[in-house]
Amino acid sequence: MKSGILILASLAMAAPVEAATLNLKVEGLKPKGELMILLFDAEGKWNAKTGAVREIKRRVSAGTTQIQVEGLGAGQYGAMVFQDLNLDGKMNFNLVGMPMEPYGFSNNSRGMFGPPTWGKAAFRFGGGNAAHSIRVK
């Protein structure tokens, strides 16, 4: 009996662990520049715009792109996305503070002045493979 338990335990430890992958689909892009994504896992980090669990940069060549974010644990996440059209590494604003480059947030949420609240942008990721779409405007 004891040897049977040891065999089962060793088989369980040897079983491959499926990597958790979030497939982000970003739509509404212009086919140029770079896509910048910040992925947060907590409201405090979201509000401070610091401490992202992932910072992703990708060249943009089409109106839609798919990005696989691997190795995430189950939990709540929120994404901030913008397209850096002029490749200066930052979001550009006009004189009255309106964004001049395409941007978006998870759940396609919007804030009145600035980013939406965590409550509007946060989505549940249960691990395994899951998809989430964001449309930039």
Side-chain angles (χ1 to χ4, degrees), residues 19-60:
T21 302
L22 174 63
N23 296 296
L24 281 177
K25 179 179 180 182
V26 183
E27 303 172 290
L29 298 165
K30 297 179 183 191
K32 67 177 189 174
E34 206 167 47
L35 182 64
M36 314 285 268
I37 301 171
L38 294 175
L39 190 64
F40 297 94
D41 65 353
E43 183 174 9
K45 295 175 185 178
W46 174 268
N47 293 336
K49 298 177 196 65
T50 61
V53 294
R54 294 289 198 292
E55 294 183 23
I56 302 164
K57 292 181 184 181
R58 293 283 191 282
R59 285 294 226 175
V60 178

PDB file of all heavy atoms in Angstrom, residues 19-60:
ATOM      1  N   ALA A  19       0.906  25.283 -19.214  1.00  0.00           N
ATOM      2  CA  ALA A  19       1.217  26.703 -19.022  1.00  0.00           C
ATOM      3  C   ALA A  19      -0.055  27.522 -19.207  1.00  0.00           C
ATOM      4  O   ALA A  19      -0.851  27.260 -20.088  1.00  0.00           O
ATOM      5  CB  ALA A  19       2.258  27.148 -20.036  1.00  0.00           C
ATOM      6  N   ALA A  20      -0.250  28.495 -18.336  1.00  0.00           N
ATOM      7  CA  ALA A  20      -1.395  29.395 -18.433  1.00  0.00           C
ATOM      8  C   ALA A  20      -1.067  30.486 -19.442  1.00  0.00           C
ATOM      9  O   ALA A  20      -0.046  31.158 -19.322  1.00  0.00           O
ATOM     10  CB  ALA A  20      -1.701  29.989 -17.067  1.00  0.00           C
ATOM     11  N   THR A  21      -1.930  30.633 -20.451  1.00  0.00           N
ATOM     12  CA  THR A  21      -1.690  31.608 -21.505  1.00  0.00           C
ATOM     13  C   THR A  21      -2.915  32.486 -21.709  1.00  0.00           C
ATOM     14  O   THR A  21      -4.015  31.988 -21.931  1.00  0.00           O
ATOM     15  CB  THR A  21      -1.351  30.898 -22.835  1.00  0.00           C
ATOM     16  OG1 THR A  21      -0.206  30.079 -22.642  1.00  0.00           O
ATOM     17  CG2 THR A  21      -1.067  31.909 -23.930  1.00  0.00           C
ATOM     18  N   LEU A  22      -2.700  33.786 -21.644  1.00  0.00           N
ATOM     19  CA  LEU A  22      -3.733  34.760 -21.966  1.00  0.00           C
ATOM     20  C   LEU A  22      -3.477  35.223 -23.384  1.00  0.00           C
ATOM     21  O   LEU A  22      -2.400  35.733 -23.694  1.00  0.00           O
ATOM     22  CB  LEU A  22      -3.676  35.940 -20.997  1.00  0.00           C
ATOM     23  CG  LEU A  22      -4.606  37.109 -21.307  1.00  0.00           C
ATOM     24  CD1 LEU A  22      -6.067  36.683 -21.245  1.00  0.00           C
ATOM     25  CD2 LEU A  22      -4.332  38.262 -20.341  1.00  0.00           C
ATOM     26  N   ASN A  23      -4.449  35.034 -24.266  1.00  0.00           N
ATOM     27  CA  ASN A  23      -4.347  35.472 -25.657  1.00  0.00           C
ATOM     28  C   ASN A  23      -5.040  36.825 -25.782  1.00  0.00           C
ATOM     29  O   ASN A  23      -6.266  36.898 -25.734  1.00  0.00           O
ATOM     30  CB  ASN A  23      -5.004  34.449 -26.587  1.00  0.00           C
ATOM     31  CG  ASN A  23      -4.281  33.126 -26.536  1.00  0.00           C
ATOM     32  OD1 ASN A  23      -3.127  33.034 -26.920  1.00  0.00           O
ATOM     33  ND2 ASN A  23      -4.945  32.098 -26.023  1.00  0.00           N
ATOM     34  N   LEU A  24      -4.248  37.872 -25.908  1.00  0.00           N
ATOM     35  CA  LEU A  24      -4.793  39.223 -26.069  1.00  0.00           C
ATOM     36  C   LEU A  24      -4.937  39.539 -27.553  1.00  0.00           C
ATOM     37  O   LEU A  24      -3.973  39.423 -28.310  1.00  0.00           O
ATOM     38  CB  LEU A  24      -3.860  40.259 -25.446  1.00  0.00           C
ATOM     39  CG  LEU A  24      -3.905  40.429 -23.944  1.00  0.00           C
ATOM     40  CD1 LEU A  24      -2.861  41.456 -23.505  1.00  0.00           C
ATOM     41  CD2 LEU A  24      -5.278  40.849 -23.475  1.00  0.00           C
ATOM     42  N   LYS A  25      -6.111  39.945 -27.942  1.00  0.00           N
ATOM     43  CA  LYS A  25      -6.371  40.378 -29.311  1.00  0.00           C
ATOM     44  C   LYS A  25      -6.607  41.885 -29.249  1.00  0.00           C
ATOM     45  O   LYS A  25      -7.490  42.344 -28.527  1.00  0.00           O
ATOM     46  CB  LYS A  25      -7.602  39.670 -29.862  1.00  0.00           C
ATOM     47  CG  LYS A  25      -7.957  40.066 -31.270  1.00  0.00           C
ATOM     48  CD  LYS A  25      -9.185  39.293 -31.726  1.00  0.00           C
ATOM     49  CE  LYS A  25      -9.585  39.650 -33.123  1.00  0.00           C
ATOM     50  NZ  LYS A  25     -10.813  38.910 -33.521  1.00  0.00           N
ATOM     51  N   VAL A  26      -5.783  42.646 -29.971  1.00  0.00           N
ATOM     52  CA  VAL A  26      -5.921  44.101 -29.983  1.00  0.00           C
ATOM     53  C   VAL A  26      -6.357  44.505 -31.381  1.00  0.00           C
ATOM     54  O   VAL A  26      -5.693  44.184 -32.368  1.00  0.00           O
ATOM     55  CB  VAL A  26      -4.610  44.810 -29.575  1.00  0.00           C
ATOM     56  CG1 VAL A  26      -4.816  46.310 -29.532  1.00  0.00           C
ATOM     57  CG2 VAL A  26      -4.133  44.293 -28.213  1.00  0.00           C
ATOM     58  N   GLU A  27      -7.491  45.212 -31.456  1.00  0.00           N
ATOM     59  CA  GLU A  27      -8.095  45.602 -32.731  1.00  0.00           C
ATOM     60  C   GLU A  27      -8.141  47.125 -32.857  1.00  0.00           C
ATOM     61  O   GLU A  27      -8.035  47.837 -31.875  1.00  0.00           O
ATOM     62  CB  GLU A  27      -9.516  45.055 -32.809  1.00  0.00           C
ATOM     63  CG  GLU A  27      -9.609  43.551 -32.646  1.00  0.00           C
ATOM     64  CD  GLU A  27     -11.035  43.083 -32.527  1.00  0.00           C
ATOM     65  OE1 GLU A  27     -11.659  43.369 -31.493  1.00  0.00           O
ATOM     66  OE2 GLU A  27     -11.518  42.453 -33.489  1.00  0.00           O
ATOM     67  N   GLY A  28      -8.332  47.599 -34.085  1.00  0.00           N
ATOM     68  CA  GLY A  28      -8.465  49.030 -34.334  1.00  0.00           C
ATOM     69  C   GLY A  28      -7.145  49.755 -34.492  1.00  0.00           C
ATOM     70  O   GLY A  28      -7.081  50.978 -34.423  1.00  0.00           O
ATOM     71  N   LEU A  29      -6.075  49.002 -34.715  1.00  0.00           N
ATOM     72  CA  LEU A  29      -4.736  49.586 -34.829  1.00  0.00           C
ATOM     73  C   LEU A  29      -4.499  50.183 -36.210  1.00  0.00           C
ATOM     74  O   LEU A  29      -5.113  49.777 -37.191  1.00  0.00           O
ATOM     75  CB  LEU A  29      -3.681  48.508 -34.565  1.00  0.00           C
ATOM     76  CG  LEU A  29      -3.712  47.871 -33.181  1.00  0.00           C
ATOM     77  CD1 LEU A  29      -2.893  46.595 -33.163  1.00  0.00           C
ATOM     78  CD2 LEU A  29      -3.215  48.849 -32.141  1.00  0.00           C
ATOM     79  N   LYS A  30      -3.570  51.125 -36.278  1.00  0.00           N
ATOM     80  CA  LYS A  30      -3.059  51.621 -37.556  1.00  0.00           C
ATOM     81  C   LYS A  30      -1.818  50.791 -37.871  1.00  0.00           C
ATOM     82  O   LYS A  30      -1.062  50.455 -36.957  1.00  0.00           O
ATOM     83  CB  LYS A  30      -2.724  53.102 -37.453  1.00  0.00           C
ATOM     84  CG  LYS A  30      -3.963  53.916 -37.160  1.00  0.00           C
ATOM     85  CD  LYS A  30      -3.679  55.378 -37.027  1.00  0.00           C
ATOM     86  CE  LYS A  30      -5.016  56.008 -36.670  1.00  0.00           C
ATOM     87  NZ  LYS A  30      -5.105  57.373 -36.705  1.00  0.00           N
ATOM     88  N   PRO A  31      -1.599  50.430 -39.120  1.00  0.00           N
ATOM     89  CA  PRO A  31      -0.468  49.530 -39.449  1.00  0.00           C
ATOM     90  C   PRO A  31       0.900  50.221 -39.434  1.00  0.00           C
ATOM     91  O   PRO A  31       1.608  50.265 -40.437  1.00  0.00           O
ATOM     92  CB  PRO A  31      -0.836  49.007 -40.835  1.00  0.00           C
ATOM     93  CG  PRO A  31      -1.697  50.065 -41.415  1.00  0.00           C
ATOM     94  CD  PRO A  31      -2.433  50.708 -40.275  1.00  0.00           C
ATOM     95  N   LYS A  32       1.256  50.759 -38.273  1.00  0.00           N
ATOM     96  CA  LYS A  32       2.581  51.364 -38.108  1.00  0.00           C
ATOM     97  C   LYS A  32       2.863  51.561 -36.626  1.00  0.00           C
ATOM     98  O   LYS A  32       1.976  51.435 -35.793  1.00  0.00           O
ATOM     99  CB  LYS A  32       2.670  52.698 -38.845  1.00  0.00           C
ATOM    100  CG  LYS A  32       1.789  53.793 -38.280  1.00  0.00           C
ATOM    101  CD  LYS A  32       2.000  55.086 -39.037  1.00  0.00           C
ATOM    102  CE  LYS A  32       1.310  56.252 -38.384  1.00  0.00           C
ATOM    103  NZ  LYS A  32       1.618  57.510 -39.037  1.00  0.00           N
ATOM    104  N   GLY A  33       4.087  51.846 -36.298  1.00  0.00           N
ATOM    105  CA  GLY A  33       4.455  52.139 -34.916  1.00  0.00           C
ATOM    106  C   GLY A  33       4.595  50.902 -34.054  1.00  0.00           C
ATOM    107  O   GLY A  33       4.868  49.812 -34.542  1.00  0.00           O
ATOM    108  N   GLU A  34       4.387  51.110 -32.763  1.00  0.00           N
ATOM    109  CA  GLU A  34       4.602  50.052 -31.787  1.00  0.00           C
ATOM    110  C   GLU A  34       3.423  49.998 -30.813  1.00  0.00           C
ATOM    111  O   GLU A  34       2.899  51.035 -30.410  1.00  0.00           O
ATOM    112  CB  GLU A  34       5.889  50.366 -31.013  1.00  0.00           C
ATOM    113  CG  GLU A  34       6.586  49.202 -30.434  1.00  0.00           C
ATOM    114  CD  GLU A  34       7.987  49.567 -29.966  1.00  0.00           C
ATOM    115  OE1 GLU A  34       8.169  50.597 -29.293  1.00  0.00           O
ATOM    116  OE2 GLU A  34       8.905  48.795 -30.269  1.00  0.00           O
ATOM    117  N   LEU A  35       3.032  48.798 -30.443  1.00  0.00           N
ATOM    118  CA  LEU A  35       1.966  48.588 -29.475  1.00  0.00           C
ATOM    119  C   LEU A  35       2.596  48.442 -28.100  1.00  0.00           C
ATOM    120  O   LEU A  35       3.552  47.682 -27.928  1.00  0.00           O
ATOM    121  CB  LEU A  35       1.176  47.331 -29.842  1.00  0.00           C
ATOM    122  CG  LEU A  35      -0.016  46.996 -28.962  1.00  0.00           C
ATOM    123  CD1 LEU A  35      -1.083  48.082 -29.060  1.00  0.00           C
ATOM    124  CD2 LEU A  35      -0.599  45.654 -29.382  1.00  0.00           C
ATOM    125  N   MET A  36       2.088  49.161 -27.135  1.00  0.00           N
ATOM    126  CA  MET A  36       2.588  49.119 -25.763  1.00  0.00           C
ATOM    127  C   MET A  36       1.454  48.622 -24.867  1.00  0.00           C
ATOM    128  O   MET A  36       0.362  49.175 -24.903  1.00  0.00           O
ATOM    129  CB  MET A  36       3.008  50.509 -25.298  1.00  0.00           C
ATOM    130  CG  MET A  36       3.844  51.280 -26.302  1.00  0.00           C
ATOM    131  SD  MET A  36       5.510  50.703 -26.398  1.00  0.00           S
ATOM    132  CE  MET A  36       6.280  51.765 -25.228  1.00  0.00           C
ATOM    133  N   ILE A  37       1.728  47.577 -24.081  1.00  0.00           N
ATOM    134  CA  ILE A  37       0.721  46.992 -23.199  1.00  0.00           C
ATOM    135  C   ILE A  37       1.280  46.906 -21.790  1.00  0.00           C
ATOM    136  O   ILE A  37       2.391  46.419 -21.586  1.00  0.00           O
ATOM    137  CB  ILE A  37       0.318  45.578 -23.666  1.00  0.00           C
ATOM    138  CG1 ILE A  37      -0.247  45.625 -25.083  1.00  0.00           C
ATOM    139  CG2 ILE A  37      -0.687  44.952 -22.703  1.00  0.00           C
ATOM    140  CD1 ILE A  37      -0.465  44.258 -25.695  1.00  0.00           C
ATOM    141  N   LEU A  38       0.506  47.374 -20.827  1.00  0.00           N
ATOM    142  CA  LEU A  38       0.821  47.202 -19.406  1.00  0.00           C
ATOM    143  C   LEU A  38      -0.270  46.325 -18.814  1.00  0.00           C
ATOM    144  O   LEU A  38      -1.452  46.633 -18.947  1.00  0.00           O
ATOM    145  CB  LEU A  38       0.850  48.542 -18.672  1.00  0.00           C
ATOM    146  CG  LEU A  38       1.954  49.517 -19.085  1.00  0.00           C
ATOM    147  CD1 LEU A  38       1.776  50.844 -18.355  1.00  0.00           C
ATOM    148  CD2 LEU A  38       3.318  48.934 -18.808  1.00  0.00           C
ATOM    149  N   LEU A  39       0.118  45.234 -18.166  1.00  0.00           N
ATOM    150  CA  LEU A  39      -0.824  44.306 -17.558  1.00  0.00           C
ATOM    151  C   LEU A  39      -0.631  44.349 -16.045  1.00  0.00           C
ATOM    152  O   LEU A  39       0.472  44.090 -15.550  1.00  0.00           O
ATOM    153  CB  LEU A  39      -0.590  42.895 -18.100  1.00  0.00           C
ATOM    154  CG  LEU A  39      -1.625  41.842 -17.747  1.00  0.00           C
ATOM    155  CD1 LEU A  39      -2.988  42.192 -18.358  1.00  0.00           C
ATOM    156  CD2 LEU A  39      -1.178  40.478 -18.246  1.00  0.00           C
ATOM    157  N   PHE A  40      -1.697  44.697 -15.331  1.00  0.00           N
ATOM    158  CA  PHE A  40      -1.652  44.849 -13.874  1.00  0.00           C
ATOM    159  C   PHE A  40      -2.466  43.749 -13.202  1.00  0.00           C
ATOM    160  O   PHE A  40      -3.436  43.252 -13.773  1.00  0.00           O
ATOM    161  CB  PHE A  40      -2.224  46.213 -13.465  1.00  0.00           C
ATOM    162  CG  PHE A  40      -1.432  47.373 -13.988  1.00  0.00           C
ATOM    163  CD1 PHE A  40      -1.769  47.990 -15.179  1.00  0.00           C
ATOM    164  CD2 PHE A  40      -0.338  47.847 -13.292  1.00  0.00           C
ATOM    165  CE1 PHE A  40      -1.040  49.056 -15.669  1.00  0.00           C
ATOM    166  CE2 PHE A  40       0.400  48.918 -13.763  1.00  0.00           C
ATOM    167  CZ  PHE A  40       0.047  49.522 -14.961  1.00  0.00           C
ATOM    168  N   ASP A  41      -2.095  43.425 -11.957  1.00  0.00           N
ATOM    169  CA  ASP A  41      -2.821  42.397 -11.213  1.00  0.00           C
ATOM    170  C   ASP A  41      -3.399  42.900  -9.895  1.00  0.00           C
ATOM    171  O   ASP A  41      -3.844  42.118  -9.075  1.00  0.00           O
ATOM    172  CB  ASP A  41      -1.921  41.192 -10.956  1.00  0.00           C
ATOM    173  CG  ASP A  41      -0.740  41.501 -10.056  1.00  0.00           C
ATOM    174  OD1 ASP A  41      -0.513  42.686  -9.716  1.00  0.00           O
ATOM    175  OD2 ASP A  41      -0.024  40.549  -9.685  1.00  0.00           O
ATOM    176  N   ALA A  42      -3.415  44.222  -9.692  1.00  0.00           N
ATOM    177  CA  ALA A  42      -3.951  44.769  -8.443  1.00  0.00           C
ATOM    178  C   ALA A  42      -4.423  46.207  -8.655  1.00  0.00           C
ATOM    179  O   ALA A  42      -3.834  46.957  -9.443  1.00  0.00           O
ATOM    180  CB  ALA A  42      -2.894  44.724  -7.345  1.00  0.00           C
ATOM    181  N   GLU A  43      -5.456  46.575  -7.938  1.00  0.00           N
ATOM    182  CA  GLU A  43      -6.040  47.911  -8.067  1.00  0.00           C
ATOM    183  C   GLU A  43      -5.042  49.015  -7.736  1.00  0.00           C
ATOM    184  O   GLU A  43      -4.964  50.026  -8.442  1.00  0.00           O
ATOM    185  CB  GLU A  43      -7.271  48.031  -7.175  1.00  0.00           C
ATOM    186  CG  GLU A  43      -7.984  49.365  -7.302  1.00  0.00           C
ATOM    187  CD  GLU A  43      -9.279  49.413  -6.526  1.00  0.00           C
ATOM    188  OE1 GLU A  43      -9.573  48.490  -5.741  1.00  0.00           O
ATOM    189  OE2 GLU A  43     -10.013  50.394  -6.706  1.00  0.00           O
ATOM    190  N   GLY A  44      -4.255  48.835  -6.683  1.00  0.00           N
ATOM    191  CA  GLY A  44      -3.280  49.862  -6.291  1.00  0.00           C
ATOM    192  C   GLY A  44      -2.253  50.106  -7.380  1.00  0.00           C
ATOM    193  O   GLY A  44      -1.885  51.254  -7.658  1.00  0.00           O
ATOM    194  N   LYS A  45      -1.789  49.038  -8.007  1.00  0.00           N
ATOM    195  CA  LYS A  45      -0.829  49.161  -9.104  1.00  0.00           C
ATOM    196  C   LYS A  45      -1.482  49.832 -10.304  1.00  0.00           C
ATOM    197  O   LYS A  45      -0.866  50.646 -10.992  1.00  0.00           O
ATOM    198  CB  LYS A  45      -0.283  47.792  -9.503  1.00  0.00           C
ATOM    199  CG  LYS A  45       0.540  47.111  -8.432  1.00  0.00           C
ATOM    200  CD  LYS A  45       0.939  45.720  -8.883  1.00  0.00           C
ATOM    201  CE  LYS A  45       1.661  44.944  -7.824  1.00  0.00           C
ATOM    202  NZ  LYS A  45       1.998  43.581  -8.281  1.00  0.00           N
ATOM    203  N   TRP A  46      -2.729  49.459 -10.587  1.00  0.00           N
ATOM    204  CA  TRP A  46      -3.485  50.052 -11.700  1.00  0.00           C
ATOM    205  C   TRP A  46      -3.601  51.566 -11.493  1.00  0.00           C
ATOM    206  O   TRP A  46      -3.322  52.348 -12.394  1.00  0.00           O
ATOM    207  CB  TRP A  46      -4.872  49.417 -11.771  1.00  0.00           C
ATOM    208  CG  TRP A  46      -5.814  50.005 -12.761  1.00  0.00           C
ATOM    209  CD1 TRP A  46      -6.729  50.999 -12.539  1.00  0.00           C
ATOM    210  CD2 TRP A  46      -5.964  49.646 -14.138  1.00  0.00           C
ATOM    211  NE1 TRP A  46      -7.426  51.264 -13.684  1.00  0.00           N
ATOM    212  CE2 TRP A  46      -6.984  50.455 -14.673  1.00  0.00           C
ATOM    213  CE3 TRP A  46      -5.333  48.705 -14.953  1.00  0.00           C
ATOM    214  CZ2 TRP A  46      -7.388  50.356 -16.005  1.00  0.00           C
ATOM    215  CZ3 TRP A  46      -5.735  48.607 -16.276  1.00  0.00           C
ATOM    216  CH2 TRP A  46      -6.747  49.423 -16.783  1.00  0.00           C
ATOM    217  N   ASN A  47      -4.013  51.976 -10.303  1.00  0.00           N
ATOM    218  CA  ASN A  47      -4.200  53.402 -10.013  1.00  0.00           C
ATOM    219  C   ASN A  47      -2.895  54.176 -10.088  1.00  0.00           C
ATOM    220  O   ASN A  47      -2.869  55.314 -10.558  1.00  0.00           O
ATOM    221  CB  ASN A  47      -4.853  53.588  -8.643  1.00  0.00           C
ATOM    222  CG  ASN A  47      -6.280  53.086  -8.610  1.00  0.00           C
ATOM    223  OD1 ASN A  47      -6.954  52.996  -9.638  1.00  0.00           O
ATOM    224  ND2 ASN A  47      -6.757  52.730  -7.432  1.00  0.00           N
ATOM    225  N   ALA A  48      -1.797  53.567  -9.627  1.00  0.00           N
ATOM    226  CA  ALA A  48      -0.493  54.229  -9.635  1.00  0.00           C
ATOM    227  C   ALA A  48       0.211  54.114 -10.989  1.00  0.00           C
ATOM    228  O   ALA A  48       1.194  54.803 -11.243  1.00  0.00           O
ATOM    229  CB  ALA A  48       0.393  53.633  -8.549  1.00  0.00           C
ATOM    230  N   LYS A  49      -0.289  53.215 -11.842  1.00  0.00           N
ATOM    231  CA  LYS A  49       0.334  52.948 -13.153  1.00  0.00           C
ATOM    232  C   LYS A  49       1.791  52.509 -13.000  1.00  0.00           C
ATOM    233  O   LYS A  49       2.636  52.829 -13.819  1.00  0.00           O
ATOM    234  CB  LYS A  49       0.202  54.147 -14.085  1.00  0.00           C
ATOM    235  CG  LYS A  49      -1.235  54.500 -14.411  1.00  0.00           C
ATOM    236  CD  LYS A  49      -1.299  55.725 -15.279  1.00  0.00           C
ATOM    237  CE  LYS A  49      -2.676  56.319 -15.314  1.00  0.00           C
ATOM    238  NZ  LYS A  49      -3.173  56.854 -14.065  1.00  0.00           N
ATOM    239  N   THR A  50       2.057  51.764 -11.928  1.00  0.00           N
ATOM    240  CA  THR A  50       3.395  51.206 -11.689  1.00  0.00           C
ATOM    241  C   THR A  50       3.262  49.769 -11.221  1.00  0.00           C
ATOM    242  O   THR A  50       2.222  49.361 -10.711  1.00  0.00           O
ATOM    243  CB  THR A  50       4.167  52.001 -10.619  1.00  0.00           C
ATOM    244  OG1 THR A  50       3.448  51.945  -9.384  1.00  0.00           O
ATOM    245  CG2 THR A  50       4.374  53.444 -11.026  1.00  0.00           C
ATOM    246  N   GLY A  51       4.319  49.005 -11.376  1.00  0.00           N
ATOM    247  CA  GLY A  51       4.318  47.639 -10.894  1.00  0.00           C
ATOM    248  C   GLY A  51       3.571  46.670 -11.788  1.00  0.00           C
ATOM    249  O   GLY A  51       3.017  45.680 -11.299  1.00  0.00           O
ATOM    250  N   ALA A  52       3.552  46.935 -13.092  1.00  0.00           N
ATOM    251  CA  ALA A  52       2.878  46.024 -14.018  1.00  0.00           C
ATOM    252  C   ALA A  52       3.517  44.639 -13.951  1.00  0.00           C
ATOM    253  O   ALA A  52       4.737  44.524 -13.835  1.00  0.00           O
ATOM    254  CB  ALA A  52       2.949  46.567 -15.444  1.00  0.00           C
ATOM    255  N   VAL A  53       2.692  43.592 -14.033  1.00  0.00           N
ATOM    256  CA  VAL A  53       3.236  42.228 -14.030  1.00  0.00           C
ATOM    257  C   VAL A  53       3.821  41.881 -15.395  1.00  0.00           C
ATOM    258  O   VAL A  53       4.664  40.986 -15.499  1.00  0.00           O
ATOM    259  CB  VAL A  53       2.185  41.174 -13.610  1.00  0.00           C
ATOM    260  CG1 VAL A  53       1.797  41.378 -12.163  1.00  0.00           C
ATOM    261  CG2 VAL A  53       0.981  41.175 -14.505  1.00  0.00           C
ATOM    262  N   ARG A  54       3.396  42.573 -16.431  1.00  0.00           N
ATOM    263  CA  ARG A  54       3.972  42.413 -17.769  1.00  0.00           C
ATOM    264  C   ARG A  54       3.968  43.762 -18.470  1.00  0.00           C
ATOM    265  O   ARG A  54       3.001  44.509 -18.395  1.00  0.00           O
ATOM    266  CB  ARG A  54       3.170  41.446 -18.641  1.00  0.00           C
ATOM    267  CG  ARG A  54       3.163  40.010 -18.202  1.00  0.00           C
ATOM    268  CD  ARG A  54       4.520  39.342 -18.429  1.00  0.00           C
ATOM    269  NE  ARG A  54       4.465  37.909 -18.422  1.00  0.00           N
ATOM    270  CZ  ARG A  54       4.201  37.148 -17.377  1.00  0.00           C
ATOM    271  NH1 ARG A  54       3.915  37.680 -16.231  1.00  0.00           N
ATOM    272  NH2 ARG A  54       4.209  35.834 -17.480  1.00  0.00           N
ATOM    273  N   GLU A  55       5.065  44.057 -19.136  1.00  0.00           N
ATOM    274  CA  GLU A  55       5.176  45.206 -20.039  1.00  0.00           C
ATOM    275  C   GLU A  55       5.553  44.635 -21.389  1.00  0.00           C
ATOM    276  O   GLU A  55       6.596  43.993 -21.522  1.00  0.00           O
ATOM    277  CB  GLU A  55       6.232  46.193 -19.549  1.00  0.00           C
ATOM    278  CG  GLU A  55       5.865  46.859 -18.233  1.00  0.00           C
ATOM    279  CD  GLU A  55       6.892  47.898 -17.793  1.00  0.00           C
ATOM    280  OE1 GLU A  55       7.636  48.437 -18.650  1.00  0.00           O
ATOM    281  OE2 GLU A  55       6.946  48.165 -16.591  1.00  0.00           O
ATOM    282  N   ILE A  56       4.714  44.856 -22.376  1.00  0.00           N
ATOM    283  CA  ILE A  56       4.900  44.235 -23.682  1.00  0.00           C
ATOM    284  C   ILE A  56       4.981  45.320 -24.746  1.00  0.00           C
ATOM    285  O   ILE A  56       4.170  46.257 -24.751  1.00  0.00           O
ATOM    286  CB  ILE A  56       3.727  43.282 -23.995  1.00  0.00           C
ATOM    287  CG1 ILE A  56       3.634  42.217 -22.904  1.00  0.00           C
ATOM    288  CG2 ILE A  56       3.865  42.667 -25.379  1.00  0.00           C
ATOM    289  CD1 ILE A  56       2.325  41.463 -22.889  1.00  0.00           C
ATOM    290  N   LYS A  57       5.951  45.177 -25.650  1.00  0.00           N
ATOM    291  CA  LYS A  57       6.085  46.060 -26.811  1.00  0.00           C
ATOM    292  C   LYS A  57       6.126  45.182 -28.045  1.00  0.00           C
ATOM    293  O   LYS A  57       6.855  44.192 -28.081  1.00  0.00           O
ATOM    294  CB  LYS A  57       7.371  46.870 -26.759  1.00  0.00           C
ATOM    295  CG  LYS A  57       7.432  47.892 -25.670  1.00  0.00           C
ATOM    296  CD  LYS A  57       8.752  48.649 -25.756  1.00  0.00           C
ATOM    297  CE  LYS A  57       8.872  49.629 -24.595  1.00  0.00           C
ATOM    298  NZ  LYS A  57      10.129  50.391 -24.681  1.00  0.00           N
ATOM    299  N   ARG A  58       5.344  45.557 -29.053  1.00  0.00           N
ATOM    300  CA  ARG A  58       5.328  44.810 -30.312  1.00  0.00           C
ATOM    301  C   ARG A  58       5.193  45.782 -31.467  1.00  0.00           C
ATOM    302  O   ARG A  58       4.411  46.717 -31.397  1.00  0.00           O
ATOM    303  CB  ARG A  58       4.131  43.854 -30.384  1.00  0.00           C
ATOM    304  CG  ARG A  58       4.140  42.711 -29.423  1.00  0.00           C
ATOM    305  CD  ARG A  58       5.084  41.606 -29.872  1.00  0.00           C
ATOM    306  NE  ARG A  58       4.933  40.393 -29.133  1.00  0.00           N
ATOM    307  CZ  ARG A  58       5.412  40.157 -27.925  1.00  0.00           C
ATOM    308  NH1 ARG A  58       6.082  41.076 -27.303  1.00  0.00           N
ATOM    309  NH2 ARG A  58       5.235  38.997 -27.336  1.00  0.00           N
ATOM    310  N   ARG A  59       5.923  45.535 -32.523  1.00  0.00           N
ATOM    311  CA  ARG A  59       5.762  46.303 -33.757  1.00  0.00           C
ATOM    312  C   ARG A  59       4.381  46.030 -34.317  1.00  0.00           C
ATOM    313  O   ARG A  59       3.871  44.920 -34.209  1.00  0.00           O
ATOM    314  CB  ARG A  59       6.807  45.899 -34.794  1.00  0.00           C
ATOM    315  CG  ARG A  59       8.170  46.434 -34.491  1.00  0.00           C
ATOM    316  CD  ARG A  59       8.191  47.893 -34.596  1.00  0.00           C
ATOM    317  NE  ARG A  59       9.345  48.353 -35.334  1.00  0.00           N
ATOM    318  CZ  ARG A  59       9.532  49.602 -35.632  1.00  0.00           C
ATOM    319  NH1 ARG A  59       8.652  50.503 -35.276  1.00  0.00           N
ATOM    320  NH2 ARG A  59      10.594  49.987 -36.278  1.00  0.00           N
ATOM    321  N   VAL A  60       3.779  47.031 -34.930  1.00  0.00           N
ATOM    322  CA  VAL A  60       2.442  46.896 -35.498  1.00  0.00           C
ATOM    323  C   VAL A  60       2.547  46.953 -37.018  1.00  0.00           C
ATOM    324  O   VAL A  60       3.156  47.865 -37.569  1.00  0.00           O
ATOM    325  CB  VAL A  60       1.511  48.027 -35.002  1.00  0.00           C
ATOM    326  CG1 VAL A  60       0.141  47.917 -35.642  1.00  0.00           C
ATOM    327  CG2 VAL A  60       1.395  47.997 -33.482  1.00  0.00           C
TER     328      VAL A  60
END
